[in-house]
Amino acid sequence: MLIPESDRRGIKELTEDFSRDLLDDVGVRLYLNRVLGDEVFQWLTHSELEELVASLLTYQDNPRSAIECSGRAYEDILRRLSVEIGIIDIKKSEQSLAFQN
């Protein structure tokens, strides 16, 4: 089956855009891994990592959204850290929240 030249150009542009997006996503993940180190990078949950990646991918086009994404990630990270090292007793926190409502 022969594909017309105009369709081939469209397909080529589409695959180049996809590759560029993929490389940007992969590049951001590699950057985060390099900056944070392997141990911290692997410790992040999927949602925390996705928020950080989204913030770095969008900061130029939509700074407000990027700040919201990174803020959610850091809030989640700090909450998880405080629970893991024992600063916050999650059961007491949940009971306190239930009592307030």
Side-chain angles (χ1 to χ4, degrees), residues 77-90 93:
I77 291 166
L78 290 174
R79 184 182 307 108
R80 193 158 56 97
L81 265 176
S82 60
V83 169
E84 285 185 12
I85 61 174
I87 293 174
I88 295 176
D89 183 347
I90 196 69
S93 296

Side-chain angles (χ1 to χ4, degrees), residues 39-87:
E39 189 176 344
V40 173
F41 185 81
Q42 292 173 5
W43 179 80
L44 294 173
T45 65
H46 176 75
S47 63
E48 293 163 353
L49 182 58
E50 291 304 311
E51 291 284 12
L52 291 174
V53 169
S55 71
L56 289 173
L57 289 174
T58 61
Y59 80 95
Q60 289 181 333
D61 297 330
N62 193 346
R64 184 179 300 268
S65 176
I67 290 171
E68 290 170 354
C69 289
S70 61
R72 279 189 299 270
Y74 288 119
E75 182 180 351
D76 292 346
I77 291 166
L78 290 174
R79 184 182 307 108
R80 193 158 56 97
L81 265 176
S82 60
V83 169
E84 285 185 12
I85 61 174
I87 293 174

Side-chain angles (χ1 to χ4, degrees), residues 3-74:
I3 300 173
E5 181 65 30
S6 60
D7 289 345
R8 276 188 273 167
R9 278 187 296 236
I11 292 170
K12 184 177 179 184
E13 289 172 9
L14 181 64
T15 55
E16 286 174 351
D17 288 345
F18 178 77
S19 296
R20 191 172 26 248
D21 290 344
L22 183 61
L23 286 175
D24 288 343
D25 184 68
V26 170
V28 167
R29 290 171 194 278
L30 290 172
Y31 170 78
L32 285 170
N33 190 357
R34 189 176 71 238
V35 169
L36 299 173
D38 288 336
E39 189 176 344
V40 173
F41 185 81
Q42 292 173 5
W43 179 80
L44 294 173
T45 65
H46 176 75
S47 63
E48 293 163 353
L49 182 58
E50 291 304 311
E51 291 284 12
L52 291 174
V53 169
S55 71
L56 289 173
L57 289 174
T58 61
Y59 80 95
Q60 289 181 333
D61 297 330
N62 193 346
R64 184 179 300 268
S65 176
I67 290 171
E68 290 170 354
C69 289
S70 61
R72 279 189 299 270
Y74 288 119

